[in-house]
Amino acid sequence: MSYEFTVMTQEEAEDIAFNWHYDDEYSFYDMEADQEDLDEFLNQEKRGTSSFSVTKENDLIGFLSINRIGDKTLDIALGMRPDLTGLRKGEGFLRKCIDFLNTEYEPLKITLSVATFNKRAIKVYKKVGFIAVQTFMQETNGSTFEFLKMEYKY
């Protein structure tokens, strides 16, 4: 069965925001960890048609949010349901996300940012073809954290 990408509903956004809780240091990615991020994620107007729920066999397994940066560059944020992380499913999920982006948007470049402590995700991103571009500091979750900007070029 294949992955399906549909514009995220408010019900799905609330499910992700309030019910997806990650273990240990990955709790950094809980939507409730940063009020500003939570408010933005829950705002249907801001999400518009650029945030997608990812389902497999009608089961919500992840999300993909897209921000257009110029004509052919997309900056993405994505996440998998917590109980699916750490099980070697990330590579397949990310490849399906890229396939979807290629079909729907035909980008020349895809970028994303990941907290530098998240070695697990960085390894997956590199395996799929993302390269490290730069590190930067960002205020979030009540402090300042180092992030890695990565880019996928065709």
Side-chain angles (χ1 to χ4, degrees):
M1 202 71 178
S2 63
Y3 291 74
E4 287 188 42
F5 292 78
T6 56
V7 173
M8 187 181 294
T9 66
Q10 187 64 25
E11 182 180 2
E12 290 166 330
E14 290 174 11
D15 181 24
I16 292 166
F18 300 121
N19 297 319
W20 288 20
H21 298 287
Y22 299 89
D23 292 334
D24 305 318
E25 75 251 14
Y26 299 105
S27 66
F28 175 86
Y29 291 103
D30 291 357
M31 290 290 173
E32 295 170 298
D34 185 90
Q35 189 62 47
E36 187 177 332
D37 291 344
L38 175 65
D39 292 345
E40 188 172 318
F41 192 77
L42 291 175
N43 186 319
Q44 198 162 8
E45 256 181 57
K46 285 187 180 180
R47 277 196 326 272
T49 59
S50 62
S51 288
F52 297 87
S53 296
V54 184
T55 57
K56 188 174 183 180
E57 298 175 6
N58 295 317
D59 190 24
L60 180 61
I61 62 158
F63 69 89
L64 172 66
S65 296
I66 302 163
N67 185 21
R68 281 185 185 271
I69 310 291
D71 236 10
K72 291 288 186 174
T73 300
L74 302 176
D75 187 63
I76 64 170
L78 66 161
M80 286 181 65
R81 200 174 66 217
D83 63 309
L84 300 175
T85 61
L87 302 174
R88 300 189 173 271
K89 295 176 184 276
E91 182 183 348
F93 175 74
L94 180 57
R95 288 189 189 280
K96 292 296 183 184
C97 288
I98 291 172
D99 289 347
F100 171 76
L101 295 170
N102 288 337
T103 301
E104 297 296 317
Y105 298 92
E106 300 178 346
L108 296 178
K109 183 169 41 170
I110 301 169
T111 63
L112 58 78
S113 298
V114 58
T116 55
F117 76 80
N118 193 347
K119 305 295 185 206
R120 187 170 72 185
I122 293 169
K123 183 178 176 182
V124 170
Y125 297 147
K126 285 181 176 179
K127 191 171 185 179
V128 170
F130 282 83
I131 58 167
V133 176
Q134 70 181 49
T135 57
F136 63 95
M137 302 303 288
Q138 181 172 318
E139 288 185 28
T140 187
N141 297 22
S143 190
T144 303
F145 295 89
E146 185 178 57
F147 281 80
L148 178 64
K149 177 69 106 182
M150 301 186 80
E151 122 183 347
Y152 183 90
K153 284 188 181 177
Y154 294 86

